[in-house]
Amino acid sequence: MRASDAERERVAETLREAVAEGRLEMDEFEQRLDATFKARTHGELVPLVRDLPASGGPVAGRKASSANWPARIGGAPTSSGAFAFWGGFSRKGRWTVGPRFTAFAMWGGGEIDLREAHFAERDVVIRCFTIMGGMQVTVPPDLNVEVNGLGIMGGFGEHSKLDEEPEPAPDAPRVRITGFALMGGVGVERKRSKAEKRRLQEEERQRLGKPDAGDGRKELG
């Protein structure tokens, strides 16, 4: 995910606060500040403020994740590919993605959901090929994802319906999604799971001091 000018400025402000508080020496501050304005991606910005209070860093506004990424990396893959011809395929729920996963759909469609998936290795390549068909890849907001595919009379790209810009977690797997779509489409969407949505709603309810929906009780006079 490419970084914006506003995000670079937030990191720079965090560095200025850190040097003013004596957390950074001047030479280290200058090195990090130079790296900040040269950074092009979130992955380059995160390490610059990882050891500092997150008052203004790029991860400061990100909602906490319950993904527990280190526990989800490693193990034998349960699937290394999928195929659909005049039909469909689905890979979702608790499954382990192999280091190389290849999906093909012709006159059909496929669903690849990584929100509850485990990963055999930290670096994963998912290759999606579709001819006159469609494929949907759903990823959690804080997964490190790079989308680099080709659409020929079709589309191949990433989109998000989240309220805020997602920030990749430093300990998350790195997933590269590539391939091509001929007269069809491959879409990559960042989306929270139902369990994650419920967790965030509960945190917000507690923060605002609101009772559970079932807690309301009428007092008898």
Side-chain angles (χ1 to χ4, degrees), residues 74-89:
T78 58
S79 183
S80 59
F83 178 84
F85 179 74
W86 282 102
F89 69 80

Side-chain angles (χ1 to χ4, degrees), residues 121-138:
E121 297 182 6
R122 183 175 178 82
D123 294 285
V124 171
V125 176
I126 296 178
R127 302 188 300 170
C128 299
F129 304 99
T130 180
I131 300 175
M132 289 187 286
M135 212 172 291
Q136 178 69 31
V137 184
T138 306

Side-chain angles (χ1 to χ4, degrees), residues 37-109:
F37 290 110
K38 289 181 179 178
R40 292 291 176 266
T41 67
H42 292 299
E44 293 174 283
L45 288 174
V46 169
L48 299 174
V49 292
R50 183 179 294 156
D51 58 346
L52 300 174
S55 58
V59 297
R62 176 160 53 92
K63 290 181 173 63
S65 170
S66 60
N68 190 14
W69 288 116
R72 292 170 61 178
I73 300 175
T78 58
S79 183
S80 59
F83 178 84
F85 179 74
W86 282 102
F89 69 80
S90 178
R91 297 289 188 276
K92 62 181 181 178
R94 298 289 182 87
W95 64 295
T96 303
V97 190
R100 298 292 181 273
F101 183 91
T102 302
F104 178 82
M106 183 173 182
W107 295 328

Side-chain angles (χ1 to χ4, degrees), residues 216-221:
R217 295 180 177 87
K218 294 181 179 180
E219 294 183 6
L220 298 178

